[in-house]
C-alpha cells in the first residue's frame, strides 16, 4: 500500500504551486501589450513624459518640500535619459539641461530644480 502525503506536504505543494503560478503570470502579463521603445528617440519621449508629469505635480519650488522622497528617483531617471550623468551624442542643449537637472537634484536646490524642469518641459515642447 502506497503511503499518502501528509497535510503539511500538501499545504507546501499548494503554496509552491500558487507561487509558481504567480511568477509565471507576472512575466506573461508584463510581456503582453507591446514592448518599450528603447531607441534614442523613445528614451527622449519617455524623459519628456517624466518631466511633464513632474511639472504638473510640482508646479512651484515650494511644492517640492511636500514631495515623497521617492520622487527624486524619477528626477534622476529623467536626468540620466537627457544625458545629465554621461555625455551622449546629440543635442548639447539637451545634455546641458539634463546636467542642470542632475545638479539641482544632487544639491536639493528646489528653486533650481523647478527651473530645470520648466526648461526641460519647454525644450520638450
Amino acid at each position: 500500500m502506497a503511503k499518502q502525503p501528509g497535510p503539511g506536504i500538501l499545504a507546501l505543494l499548494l503554496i509552491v504551486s500558487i507561487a509558481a503560478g504567480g511568477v509565471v503570470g507576472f512575466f506573461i502579463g508584463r510581456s503582453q501589450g507591446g514592448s518599450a521603445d528603447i531607441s534614442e528617440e523613445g528614451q527622449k519621449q519617455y524623459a519628456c513624459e517624466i518631466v511633464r508629469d513632474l511639472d504638473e505635480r510640482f508646479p512651484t519650488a515650494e511644492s517640492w518640500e511636500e514631495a515623497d522622497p521617492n520622487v527624486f528617483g524619477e528626477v534622476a531617471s529623467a536626468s540620466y535619459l537627457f544625458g545629465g550623468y554621461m555625455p551622449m551624442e546629440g543635442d548639447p542643449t539637451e545634455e546641458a539641461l539634463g546636467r542642470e537637472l542632475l545638479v539641482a537634484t544632487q544639491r536639493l536646490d528646489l528653486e533650481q530644480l523647478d527651473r530645470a524642469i520648466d526648461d526641460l518641459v519647454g525644450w520638450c515642447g
Side-chain angles (χ1 to χ4, degrees):
M1 186 190 262
K3 185 176 177 186
Q4 294 203 348
I9 296 294
L10 290 174
L12 179 63
L13 288 173
L14 178 63
I15 290 170
V16 168
S17 297
I18 291 171
V23 168
V24 169
F26 173 78
F27 286 110
I28 288 174
R30 291 186 58 95
S31 68
Q32 301 297 317
S35 60
D37 180 359
I38 59 171
S39 70
E40 187 176 328
E41 187 59 34
Q43 291 178 26
K44 287 179 186 178
Q45 289 176 355
Y46 181 59
C48 286
E49 288 176 22
I50 292 172
V51 294
R52 284 185 196 113
D53 179 61
L54 290 168
D55 189 48
E56 287 178 21
R57 289 190 288 161
F58 307 102
T60 64
E62 293 81 29
S63 61
W64 281 96
E65 293 175 4
E66 293 147 17
D68 177 350
N70 295 327
V71 79
F72 289 98
E74 294 176 58
V75 177
S77 297
S79 173
Y80 177 79
L81 291 169
F82 283 118
Y85 281 92
M86 182 179 358
M88 296 192 265
E89 293 180 22
D91 186 348
T93 303
E94 173 188 1
E95 183 182 314
L97 291 171
R99 195 171 313 110
E100 179 185 3
L101 184 60
L102 172 64
V103 169
T105 306
Q106 290 172 333
R107 294 180 181 165
L108 291 175
D109 182 333
L110 301 180
E111 289 181 12
Q112 183 181 5
L113 185 60
D114 194 39
R115 280 192 311 271
I117 288 178
D118 287 345
D119 290 346
L120 281 165
V121 168
W123 182 85
C124 288

